[in-house]
Amino acid sequence: MGLTMNRTLSKLLMSFVLSVSLVVGLGGCASQSDLVTISGDVMYRERIALPENAVIKVQLNDVSLQDTKAIVMAEMVTDKVTTPHGFEFQLARDQFQQGHTYAIGARIEVEGKLWFINTQSYIVNIDAIEPVNVLVNKVGG
């Protein structure tokens, strides 16, 4: 009887240790407060309907480094283009570096040809909760 009780206690102790390890391990996962949510709308002023094969691309870019291409932190691409078109990015807070500058870039293409693009910078404040509304302008004539 003593051997059976020792095995039972040993199993219970092992279950307890595994449970505690799991809880402690999950503590390292990102919580809601560790996430940065960046959202907003992309829109254009022209009173035209886009063709069904239009594609919209919205990017969150690290634009800190001069004389080099921006680093894409997150991207959304869809062929279900509406205007205004909503976007949302959620990233872990530790993906952002202190002192760096982040901006939203947006473009609308049709058959690989650029139709609309933002012509001004839309800087993101990662500590703000206000949406970033991006105006894209028609390219060319």
Side-chain angles (χ1 to χ4, degrees):
M1 180 145 169
L3 185 60
T4 304
M5 180 153 318
N6 282 343
R7 284 186 182 159
T8 303
L9 283 174
S10 193
K11 285 181 184 178
L12 284 172
L13 181 60
M14 192 63 131
S15 293
F16 174 75
V17 169
L18 286 174
S19 297
V20 169
S21 297
L22 183 61
V23 169
V24 169
L26 288 176
C29 295
S31 69
Q32 281 300 101
S33 63
D34 293 337
L35 292 177
V36 174
T37 301
I38 299 164
S39 63
D41 290 310
V42 176
M43 61 200 95
Y44 59 88
R45 289 190 181 138
E46 287 76 5
R47 296 183 186 272
I48 61 171
L50 293 171
E52 286 188 25
N53 57 346
V55 174
I56 188 167
K57 181 188 292 185
V58 183
Q59 294 179 331
L60 171 62
N61 297 310
D62 182 340
V63 295
S64 302
L65 303 175
Q66 295 179 351
D67 300 328
T68 187
K69 201 171 184 181
I71 298 168
V72 178
M73 306 265 306
E75 181 177 68
M76 177 203 78
V77 179
T78 184
D79 60 357
K80 307 283 189 245
V81 182
T82 58
T83 185
H85 192 93
F87 66 88
E88 180 176 290
F89 300 116
Q90 279 196 333
L91 289 92
R93 186 167 292 281
D94 63 5
Q95 287 186 265
F96 296 93
Q97 295 182 37
Q98 190 169 1
H100 280 224
T101 303
Y102 302 93
I104 296 293
R107 59 193 301 133
I108 299 173
E109 298 177 355
V110 177
E111 295 178 0
K113 185 175 179 186
L114 183 62
W115 277 37
F116 290 89
I117 191 165
N118 62 292
T119 56
Q120 75 177 59
S121 185
Y122 292 92
I123 302 299
V124 172
N125 177 353
I126 64 168
D127 294 317
I129 56 172
E130 298 89 30
V132 180
N133 295 314
V134 178
L135 179 66
V136 291
N137 297 300
K138 185 118 174 73
V139 174

